[in-house]
Amino acid sequence: DGGITQSPKYLFRKEGQNVTLSCEQNLNHDAMYWYRQDPGQGLRLIYYSQIVNDFQKGDIAEGYSVSREKKESFPLTVTSAQKNPTAFYLCASSISSRGSSNGPKHFGDGTRLSIL
Amino acid sequence: GENVEQHPSTLSVQEGDSAVIKCTYSDSASNYFPWYKQELGKGPQLIIDIRSNVGEKKDQRIAVTLNKTAKHFSLHITETQPEDSAVYFCAASIDRGKLIFGQGTELSVKP
């Protein structure tokens, strides 16, 4: 079955470290997204990519970086500049954000990041 | 920018009853309104969506209504079942790549 795979499920970071969250999809979707979810809040967009080798900042991009070298992969790096990184991170995809689809249709099961 | 408010934050119903979750949005240019269901430890799942040129959409026990004049939209679940228990999120979009989410509603369906 096609879907989105996020790894690891749980991740711990020490102060001052960068960590990279993996997101892979085999749905042949053009668009991919990263969201952050905090308790009792909705999802907030960190970065999104409509096509390979292109990405745009979302509403809370500071302290994060991404790359989109392959269609199926959209890794997210949480840098030491992100002062409050503890959260649940969700990756998503859709056929095309410029086509008939609107926003993310498929989500991964998330990575929970905690600070040691 | 766009802001989406969702109510209630928690909702408890008896099995078989109906559940209604409401959202309001601030930007009248918003034209796409999806609803997601999130089970514990999982990512959200798109369950139904509506565009601004439609007032109502149904899919079996789930329906969404949109009132563009009042800038609010609602999710209706009829004949609720225990497996409907989850957190539900509404969202609104102007730019198809960027959704603004509501804060979520935790629905509990008691057998």
Side-chain angles (χ1 to χ4, degrees), chain A residues 18-37:
Chain A
N18 295 351
V19 290
T20 297
L21 283 59
S22 171
C23 178
E24 303 280 331
Q25 55 102 355
N26 59 4
L27 299 163
N28 200 33
H29 285 174
D30 291 312
M32 297 186 74
Y33 311 81
W34 274 106
Y35 287 88
R36 171 179 171 139
Q37 186 174 26

Side-chain angles (χ1 to χ4, degrees), chain B:
Chain B
E2 175 66 284
N3 183 51
V4 176
E5 295 288 335
Q6 183 172 347
H7 298 281
S9 56
T10 61
L11 179 60
S12 181
V13 300
Q14 287 295 130
E15 181 177 1
D17 288 350
S18 295
V20 180
I21 303 170
K22 298 182 179 181
C23 289
T24 60
Y25 59 99
S26 60
D27 195 326
S28 57
S30 291
N31 55 21
Y32 175 67
F33 307 92
W35 285 89
Y36 296 85
K37 174 184 180 182
Q38 186 176 26
E39 298 177 339
L40 193 63
K42 300 285 189 180
Q45 173 191 6
L46 177 67
I47 56 172
I48 195 167
D49 56 11
I50 192 169
R51 301 174 192 268
S52 58
N53 59 347
V54 176
E56 183 176 4
K57 183 177 179 181
K58 288 184 180 180
D59 183 3
Q60 299 182 342
R61 296 186 297 108
I62 294 173
V64 56
T65 58
L66 172 65
N67 183 327
K68 287 191 296 182
T69 302
K71 289 189 285 188
H72 67 70
F73 56 112
S74 300
L75 177 71
H76 304 254
I77 306 175
T78 59
E79 301 173 21
T80 53
Q81 301 167 3
E83 51 264 40
D84 294 329
S85 296
V87 179
Y88 291 81
F89 290 97
C90 64
S93 171
I94 304 171
D95 177 348
R96 292 181 169 183
K98 298 178 67 173
L99 291 174
I100 303 299
F101 283 80
Q103 297 83 359
T105 296
E106 184 174 0
L107 173 65
S108 176
V109 180
K110 299 187 183 305

Side-chain angles (χ1 to χ4, degrees), chain A residues 6-114:
Chain A
Q6 289 188 243
S7 61
K9 192 168 181 66
Y10 299 95
L11 186 60
F12 299 91
R13 193 192 90 171
K14 293 182 180 179
E15 295 281 352
Q17 278 187 339
N18 295 351
V19 290
T20 297
L21 283 59
S22 171
C23 178
E24 303 280 331
Q25 55 102 355
N26 59 4
L27 299 163
N28 200 33
H29 285 174
D30 291 312
M32 297 186 74
Y33 311 81
W34 274 106
Y35 287 88
R36 171 179 171 139
Q37 186 174 26
D38 294 285
Q41 297 188 34
L43 282 67
R44 292 182 290 167
L45 182 64
I46 305 173
Y47 269 98
Y48 66 108
S49 168
Q50 297 173 342
I51 197 168
V52 175
N53 292 323
D54 184 55
F55 49 82
Q56 290 80 40
K57 292 182 179 180
D59 300 316
I60 55 166
E62 185 175 353
Y64 300 98
S65 66
V66 294
S67 63
R68 187 82 188 279
E69 297 177 359
K70 298 186 296 183
K71 186 175 185 177
E72 59 269 24
S73 180
F74 191 40
L76 173 74
T77 297
V78 183
T79 75
S80 57
Q82 171 51 240
K83 298 307 179 186
N84 185 24
T86 297
F88 191 48
Y89 291 88
L90 288 159
C91 179
S93 72
S94 63
I95 294 173
S96 172
S97 66
R98 291 175 177 168
S100 59
S101 298
N102 297 271
K105 282 197 178 297
H106 297 265
F107 280 84
D109 284 337
T111 292
R112 191 167 298 279
L113 176 63
S114 301

